[in-house]
Amino acid sequence: MDTPPEERFDRITRLATSIFDVDIALVSLVDEERQWFKSRQGISLTQTCRKESFCAHAIQGESIFEIEDASQDSRFADNVLVTARRGIRFYAGVPLTTANGFRVGTLCIIHPEPRRLSPSQRQVLTDLAACVEDEINRIGLENELTRVNDVKRQLADDESRQRSLVDALAALNDISTSNHLGIDRQFQEALALGCRYLNLQIGIISRIDRGVFEVVAVTAPKDVTLAAGQCLPLANTYCDMTLKTSGLLAVHDTTESDLRHHPCYDTFGLKAYMGSSIQLGDQLFGTVSFSSADPRQHRFAETDTLFIKLLSRWIGSALDRQRVDALKSEFVSTVSHELRTPLTAMTGGLKLVLGGATGELPESIHKMLSMALKNGERLSLLINDLLDIEKLLAGQLNVICQPRDLGELLKAALLENQPYADQHGVALRLETLSRDRFINVDVLRFQQVMANLLSNAAKFSRLNSDVVIYCDEFDKEIRINVKDSGCGIPEAFRERIFQKFSQADASDRRVKGGTGLGLSISKAMTEQMGGTIGFQSTEGEGSTFYITFPYAEVPTRVRH
C-alpha cells in the first residue's frame, strides 16, 4: 500500500471502464482501517475509510460481489458514498487473492445508475481481476526474489569477508612464527598486512605514556612524514578517542562523525580510521591503528573489528615476549659469566687434587671428589650451552667456513666422542665414504654439532649396541646420518624437538640428563653454516638424526 501508480494496473482499470461503460474502475486494497486505491479511473480520492467501503464486504466472499442499486440495499442506503450527489448505485467487485491465499482487495467497477451484469460480463470482470492478481503476485515474487538475492549477496559478502579474515590470520601466523624475522620486522609485516586487509593507507603501532604518542612502528606512503621514534601529543591523534571508547574506534568517514572537529582531522585530514588499544597484562602500552586520507565506501564489518582485536592481542603478546626474553637473556648472561670463573677454578682444583698434587687420596675421598668433578664439568657444559644460545640469539657467534675434508672431520668426531660413548656401553662406528668429499664448514662448530648428535645417540642407545655414522651421497649435497638403536622419539614431542629447553621427559625424575639446548644449538649452527638438520624416528626401534651440506669445491693442494 501507498506505493506509486503503475501502468500495468492502470491499463486494466482503463479497460474495465471502457468494456463495462462505467464511470469508475478501481484496484482497491484493504487493511484494518481503510481502503486504498492502487489504481483508479474516474475518481479523485486515493482512499476511504474501511467502514464506508463496499470492498470490505467484497473480500468476505470468493466470487463477484454485485450491488445493482445501493440505494435500495439496507446495508448501503445510508452510506455517505451512496447519499452524495451522483453517489454510488451500481457496484461489482471481484476479490483479489495473493499466492499465499490472502484476500487483500478487489478489482471493482462503480456507476451512479443501477446496473446488472450479464454472465459474459461477469466472466470478463473475473478475467480482468485474475490479471490484477497475476500482477500483484508478480510483485510479490519480484520482491521475494529481490530479498533472496539480497540475502544471497549478503551471505556471499559475509563468506568473502570471513575467507579474507582467515587468510589474513593465516598470514599473521606465518609472520609470527617466522624464524627469519625479528620483532621489528614482524611488526612492519603485520602493519602492511593490516593495511591490505582493511584497504587503508597508514598503519601505526604506538606507545602512549603521560599524554605522549610515540610511533613504535609505521607503514605509510612515501609522502607521509612519519617514522619510528616520532612523538606527538596524544590529544592531537585519533588514538586519544580510541582510549576513550573502550579501547576500540572505527569510523569509515570522519566527515560524517564528530571526529571532523578533532585536531587530528584538522592536522592530517584522515577520513577513515580504525584503532584498538594494546595491553601488556593489565597495563596500557599503546595502540595499533590504521587510517587513510580517503573515506571508506562502506562501514567497517564485524570481521574487521575481530581482525584488529586479534592483531592488538598478538602485538601485546609479542611485546611481552620481547620483554621477558630480554630479562631472561640478561639474567642468563649475567649468571653464566658469574658462575664460569669460580666453576673453572673449582674444577681445575679438583683435577689437581685427583691427579695427586696433594698426595695420594683414600679411595672414598677419591670417589667423592671424582663425583664432584663430574658434576662440575656437567655444570660447565650447561653454562657453555647457555652462552652459545645467547650468542646465537644476538648474532654474535663467529662462524668461519672453509672447505674441509668430510672423511677427516668424521674420523675426528668419532675419536673425540668415543670416550663418552664408552661411559654408556656404546660403540661408535663410521662407514667409509665412497670417495673424498669436501664441505664448507667451521670445523669447531661442525664438531660441536656432531658431538651433540653423537652424545644424544649414545645416551639413548641400548647397552652394548652401536651408533652408526654413515653418509648418503647425492649429486649436489651429502647427508651425514647418526643412527642409534634407542627408544625412539615420542610422536607428541617431535614438533618441539629443536626448541630450546625441550626434552621428551622434562620431569625432575627423568633418567637421561641434559639441558634441552643441544639440538636447538645444533640446528642454529647448522643453518648458520648453510646446512639443514632433521631426523627420522620409530618409537621402540631408534632414531636417525642427519645434517645435510652442499659439496664444496676441492681446495687446490700446494706442492712444495
Side-chain angles (χ1 to χ4, degrees):
M1 298 179 74
D2 300 312
T3 55
E6 294 181 62
E7 178 60 23
R8 53 182 169 175
F9 293 107
D10 290 344
R11 69 168 61 100
I12 295 174
T13 53
R14 283 198 302 268
L15 278 172
T17 56
S18 176
I19 291 171
F20 297 103
D21 191 23
V22 293
D23 287 1
I24 299 171
L26 304 169
V27 173
S28 173
L29 301 179
V30 180
D31 69 8
E32 187 177 8
E33 301 293 337
R34 59 185 175 132
Q35 69 169 351
W36 172 80
F37 308 136
K38 174 63 179 174
S39 176
R40 66 188 193 275
Q41 305 295 332
I43 188 172
S44 60
L45 294 175
T46 59
Q47 64 182 23
T48 67
C49 177
R50 175 170 176 155
K51 291 188 301 182
E52 301 168 348
S53 72
F54 284 66
C55 295
H57 293 268
I59 63 172
Q60 302 300 320
E62 297 181 0
S63 59
I64 294 178
F65 180 72
E66 183 177 0
I67 304 294
E68 296 179 16
D69 187 349
S71 66
Q72 302 302 314
D73 191 310
S74 61
R75 292 172 295 180
F76 302 105
D78 296 331
N79 191 307
V80 65
L81 299 176
V82 176
T83 58
R85 189 174 65 86
R86 288 190 62 79
I88 297 174
R89 292 295 180 267
F90 169 74
Y91 172 93
V94 182
L96 302 173
T97 305
T98 62
N100 50 4
F102 293 103
R103 288 193 290 275
V104 295
T106 66
L107 170 65
C108 64
I109 53 176
I110 299 171
H111 199 65
E113 298 174 359
R115 288 273 184 92
R116 173 182 290 185
L117 296 178
S118 68
S120 62
Q121 287 176 320
R122 291 171 70 90
Q123 184 60 54
V124 170
L125 185 60
T126 301
D127 291 342
L128 289 176
C131 293
V132 175
E133 283 184 351
D134 289 343
E135 293 300 327
I136 289 175
N137 290 327
R138 186 155 68 89
I139 292 173
L141 289 173
E142 289 173 352
N143 291 339
E144 183 65 17
L145 182 60
T146 299
R147 189 187 68 80
V148 169
N149 288 334
D150 288 343
V151 171
K152 287 173 64 177
R153 193 180 305 108
Q154 184 64 45
L155 289 173
D157 290 345
D158 290 345
E159 183 181 358
S160 177
R161 282 194 291 267
Q162 289 169 5
R163 190 181 298 113
S164 296
L165 176 62
V166 170
D167 291 342
L169 294 179
L172 182 60
N173 182 65
D174 291 341
I175 292 169
S176 65
T177 57
S178 173
N179 293 324
H180 307 292
L181 298 177
I183 190 168
D184 291 339
R185 188 58 185 169
Q186 285 185 353
F187 285 169
Q188 289 294 130
E189 294 288 336
L191 289 175
L193 171 65
C195 286
R196 292 193 302 271
Y197 176 75
L198 298 171
N199 195 27
L200 297 174
Q201 299 170 324
I202 304 169
I204 300 174
I205 297 173
S206 72
R207 178 187 290 109
I208 295 174
D209 183 28
R210 288 176 291 186
V212 176
F213 174 96
E214 178 187 355
V215 178
V216 174
V218 60
T219 183
K222 293 181 180 180
D223 58 345
V224 176
T225 56
L226 277 175
Q230 187 171 344
C231 294
L232 299 168
L234 176 61
N236 289 352
T237 69
Y238 288 146
C239 293
D240 175 44
M241 298 300 297
T242 302
L243 300 180
K244 293 177 180 177
T245 53
S246 302
L248 181 70
L249 179 64
V251 182
H252 75 289
D253 187 352
T254 56
T255 61
E256 298 178 358
S257 74
D258 291 340
L259 289 186
R260 69 184 183 276
H261 305 301
H262 197 277
C264 187
Y265 181 76
D266 295 335
T267 304
F268 301 105
L270 298 175
K271 295 180 181 177
Y273 173 86
M274 173 172 261
S276 176
S277 62
I278 300 171
Q279 298 289 134
L280 289 185
D282 296 331
Q283 299 296 316
L284 173 70
F285 174 83
T287 62
V288 55
S289 63
F290 298 92
S291 54
S292 179
D294 300 317
R296 281 170 54 105
Q297 291 184 345
H298 305 289
R299 295 181 181 276
F300 289 100
E302 289 183 13
T303 48
D304 300 331
T305 301
L306 180 57
F307 171 78
I308 199 168
K309 283 182 176 179
L310 292 173
L311 178 61
S312 67
R313 290 176 190 172
W314 172 76
I315 293 170
S317 298
L319 289 167
D320 200 39
R321 285 196 305 272
Q322 183 187 43
R323 179 183 63 82
V324 171
D325 285 345
L327 290 172
K328 183 185 69 177
S329 297
E330 182 180 351
F331 173 77
V332 168
S333 179
T334 300
V335 170
S336 298
H337 283 97
E338 291 296 325
L339 286 176
R340 175 176 273 183
T341 300
L343 187 60
T344 301
M346 184 184 75
T347 55
L350 288 172
K351 287 178 181 179
L352 287 173
V353 173
L354 289 169
T358 59
E360 189 174 350
L361 297 173
E363 183 178 348
S364 59
I365 294 178
H366 190 281
K367 185 176 180 180
M368 292 179 66
L369 292 179
S370 296
M371 185 182 299
L373 178 61
K374 182 178 179 180
N375 284 307
E377 290 175 337
R378 181 179 174 186
L379 186 57
S380 181
L381 289 174
L382 170 61
I383 292 172
N384 289 335
D385 281 350
L386 290 172
L387 291 176
D388 282 341
I389 281 288
E390 292 309 307
K391 289 178 181 178
L392 285 167
L393 292 175
Q396 297 174 350
L397 191 68
N398 294 323
V399 175
I400 302 174
C401 295
Q402 294 178 339
R404 299 290 180 176
D405 187 322
L406 179 58
E408 296 300 322
L409 291 173
L410 296 180
K411 289 177 185 177
L414 186 144
L415 291 174
E416 290 177 11
N417 291 280
Q418 185 60 61
Y420 182 85
D422 289 340
Q423 297 176 25
H424 294 273
V426 175
L428 304 183
R429 179 162 57 86
L430 174 63
E431 293 186 359
T432 308
L433 291 166
S434 64
R435 50 176 288 193
D436 290 345
R437 298 288 191 181
F438 287 80
I439 58 175
N440 206 41
V441 294
D442 181 301
V443 174
L444 178 63
R445 302 307 175 191
F446 178 84
Q447 293 298 359
Q448 190 172 348
V449 172
M450 289 301 299
N452 274 321
L453 299 184
L454 289 169
S455 63
N456 278 347
K459 183 166 54 177
F460 289 99
S461 286
R462 293 191 296 270
L463 187 65
N464 298 323
S465 64
D466 288 350
V467 170
V468 183
I469 309 168
Y470 67 95
C471 295
D472 294 319
E473 302 174 54
F474 304 105
D475 290 340
K476 296 183 179 180
E477 62 183 17
I478 190 163
R479 187 164 74 182
I480 304 149
N481 303 279
V482 176
K483 181 180 180 181
D484 65 56
S485 57
C487 57
I489 300 167
E491 186 72 33
F493 176 64
R494 296 182 185 184
E495 291 186 359
R496 298 182 289 113
I497 196 166
F498 291 110
Q499 294 179 7
K500 296 191 292 291
F501 302 103
S502 292
Q503 294 176 321
D505 179 8
S507 70
D508 57 3
R509 299 185 301 275
R510 62 183 183 271
V511 176
K512 309 296 182 181
T515 65
L517 291 171
L519 287 176
S520 178
I521 293 172
S522 296
K523 182 176 187 297
M525 288 183 173
T526 300
E527 292 175 349
Q528 199 161 348
M529 291 187 290
T532 58
I533 189 170
F535 70 95
Q536 297 171 340
S537 182
T538 303
E539 285 193 64
E541 297 181 13
S543 305
T544 300
F545 280 80
Y546 56 83
I547 51 177
T548 303
F549 288 96
Y551 294 124
E553 292 185 8
V554 180
T556 304
R557 298 183 183 276
V558 180
R559 294 185 179 182
H560 297 281

